[in-house]
Amino acid sequence: MTDTPYLAVDLTRLESNLTAMARRCADLGVALRPHAKTHKCIEIARRQIDCGATGLTVATIGEAEVFAAAAEQTGCRDLFIAYPLWVTAHTGARLREIARAVSMRVGVDSIAGAHRLAAEVARPDTHLEVLVEIDSGHHRTGVAAEQAGQVAAAAADAGLDVVGVFTFPGHGYGPGSARAEAAAAEVVALRDAAQSLRDNGIDPRVISGGSTPTVEFAEAGALTEIRPGVYPFNDAQQVELGSATVDEVALTAVTTVVHRSRSRVIVDAGSKILGADRPGWATGFGHVLDSPRARITALSEHHATIDYPEDDDPEGPARIPDPGDRIEVIPNHVCTAVNLVDDLIVKGQGEQSLSWRVAARGRNS
C-alpha cells in the first residue's frame, strides 16, 4: 500500500476526458493542441496524441526540452511554447537545439521581443514558427488586437516565420457568466488580430486560443486550434465553475486522517501536496471527493483542516472519518498540485497500481 499523501489518477476517467475533448474539437472542426503543463507526463502526452492531438503546448523551454526528448515515446513532434519569451544567448541556443529535433512554435508580443528572438535563433539550420500573442481580456501578456500586425511585420522583417496569432482567455476562470464572456471576447480579439496581420501582408494560418473553462463556449470557425490544459484531470476549480462534474475528476490526493475533534478532522495533505491556490470565489482549499458539504478551511504545509457539517443532511448525516481513515481530496488547481510530486499513482489497472513519472516537474525555465 502506498504511503499517504500521494496523487492518484483514475485511468478510466482520464481516458474518458481525453476522448470527450477530442470529440469536442472534431465537432468544432479545430485542431487540439493540449497544454502539457498540467500533467507534465510522458504517458498522458502519448494518450493525447493517440486521441488526435496535433501537437502539445508547453509553458517553458524546460518543458519543451523534456517533451522533445520524449518525441519517440509520445509520437509528438510539434511543440508550442505559448508565452512571449525574452530570448538570451543561452535560451536561444536551447531553442535552436529543440528546433533541430521537433517542429517548434514560440510566442512574441512586442517588437523588441521579436528582435531578440530573431537575433538568437534566426539561423540557416533553425526554423521556428512564430505566433503573436493577443490580450483578449486577461490583461497579463499580449498586445492589443489592432497592434498585432505591427508586431508581426517587425518579426517577419527580422527574418522570423510568422504564422498567426494566439491568446489565453484566462479571465474565464470566474463564476457566473465569466466563461461565456471570456470566450466571446476571445473570438472578437482573435478576429481583429488576424485582420491586422492581413492588413500587414501576413497570412494568419494559425488562430489559437481556448482553455478548459471556455471550450464549452467555443465557436466553430472562429479558431483553428484550442489549447486546454486541465481537462485530462479536472479539479475543484472546474467543478465550481461548472466546466466539469465531480464524476469527471480524474486526479485526487489520497490522504490519511491524523486527528479528529468532533466534526473537524486534520489530514496529512497540506499545501505541499494540494497546492495553495484558492481564488476568492472558491468555497475552500479543495473538495472532499465523497462529501461535497465538507469544507477544507485551512492549509499548513503538511496538514489540512476539514470541517464536516454537523446539521442533518436530507440524504442522511455525513460520515465523519476517524484517525487512520483514508479519504480523497480534489485539489483546487491541479497544475500546481502535479508539480509538487515526483510520480502519479495510477488506478484502473486491476489489482496492481502503477506510477507515472512527472517528467517535466520543476522545469520552470
Side-chain angles (χ1 to χ4, degrees):
M1 179 180 293
T2 304
D3 294 336
T4 63
Y6 62 89
L7 297 184
V9 175
D10 185 312
L11 184 60
T12 300
R13 290 185 177 185
L14 170 74
E15 292 181 338
S16 176
N17 292 341
L18 298 182
T19 301
M21 184 61 73
R23 186 181 303 116
R24 172 65 173 155
C25 291
D27 291 343
L28 288 170
V30 300
L32 173 61
R33 185 183 290 272
H35 209 313
K37 74 178 179 67
T38 295
H39 58 74
K40 298 175 176 283
C41 188
I42 303 305
E43 289 83 358
I44 297 175
R46 186 184 70 246
R47 283 166 167 79
Q48 289 174 317
I49 297 299
D50 289 346
C51 278
T54 58
L56 294 174
T57 306
V58 294
T60 66
I61 296 173
E63 288 182 355
E65 288 169 333
V66 169
F67 286 103
E72 290 292 335
Q73 296 167 265
T74 64
C76 175
R77 297 185 176 279
D78 195 332
L79 301 175
F80 173 32
I81 303 176
Y83 196 78
L85 298 170
W86 186 262
V87 181
T88 65
H90 185 251
T91 55
R94 293 169 68 193
L95 285 171
R96 294 195 303 272
E97 189 67 24
I98 298 168
R100 294 186 184 105
V102 297
S103 298
M104 275 292 301
R105 289 179 185 168
V106 297
V108 299
D109 74 346
S110 68
I111 292 173
H115 286 164
R116 285 299 314 147
L117 178 64
E120 298 299 342
V121 304
R123 304 286 191 277
D125 64 341
T126 304
H127 179 251
L128 293 178
E129 294 182 340
V130 174
L131 299 184
V132 177
E133 184 176 15
I134 309 307
D135 178 9
S136 60
H138 188 39
H139 305 320
R140 183 178 65 183
T141 52
V143 298
E146 61 271 16
Q147 297 173 347
Q150 300 172 32
V151 175
D157 289 345
L160 298 172
D161 182 13
V162 181
V163 299
V165 294
F166 78 104
T167 193
F168 172 58
H171 51 309
Y173 277 80
S177 60
R179 293 191 296 136
E181 291 172 357
E186 173 186 56
V187 169
V188 172
L190 287 174
R191 180 193 64 204
D192 292 348
Q195 186 57 50
S196 182
L197 261 65
R198 296 187 190 98
D199 292 343
N200 282 268
I202 297 172
D203 178 22
R205 305 191 302 275
V206 179
I207 302 174
S208 177
S211 66
T212 297
T214 59
V215 70
E216 176 184 348
F217 304 98
E219 297 181 16
L223 291 80
T224 64
E225 73 173 20
I226 62 171
R227 310 186 315 277
V230 176
Y231 77 95
F233 297 141
N234 291 310
D235 55 22
Q237 288 186 143
Q238 302 302 323
V239 172
E240 291 209 45
L241 291 173
S243 50
T245 67
V246 171
D247 290 340
E248 293 169 324
V249 172
L251 180 143
T252 57
V254 180
T255 180
T256 300
V257 175
V258 297
H259 175 82
R260 175 181 173 183
S261 178
R262 298 190 54 159
S263 61
R264 171 171 288 181
V265 304
I266 308 298
V267 298
D268 64 358
S271 62
K272 287 186 174 179
I273 192 78
L274 296 173
D277 284 10
R278 183 184 179 181
W281 43 264
T283 56
F285 290 95
H287 287 185
V288 179
L289 182 63
D290 62 355
S291 187
R293 297 177 69 225
R295 292 290 176 264
I296 304 176
T297 55
L299 286 185
S300 54
E301 291 183 62
H302 296 287
H303 299 90
T305 301
I306 305 176
D307 288 321
Y308 282 79
E310 291 185 322
D311 59 318
D312 289 336
D313 189 309
E315 298 180 2
R319 181 191 174 277
I320 302 172
D322 290 314
D325 289 343
R326 290 189 172 197
I327 64 172
E328 294 183 64
V329 172
I330 307 170
N332 268 343
H333 187 183
V334 69
C335 305
T336 57
V338 168
N339 196 49
L340 292 168
V341 300
D342 293 323
D343 301 282
L344 303 175
I345 305 302
V346 184
K347 303 182 297 182
Q349 296 286 329
E351 292 296 321
Q352 185 174 8
S353 63
L354 56 91
S355 66
W356 290 341
R357 186 169 67 91
V358 183
R361 180 190 180 192
R363 300 299 297 268
N364 297 322
S365 63

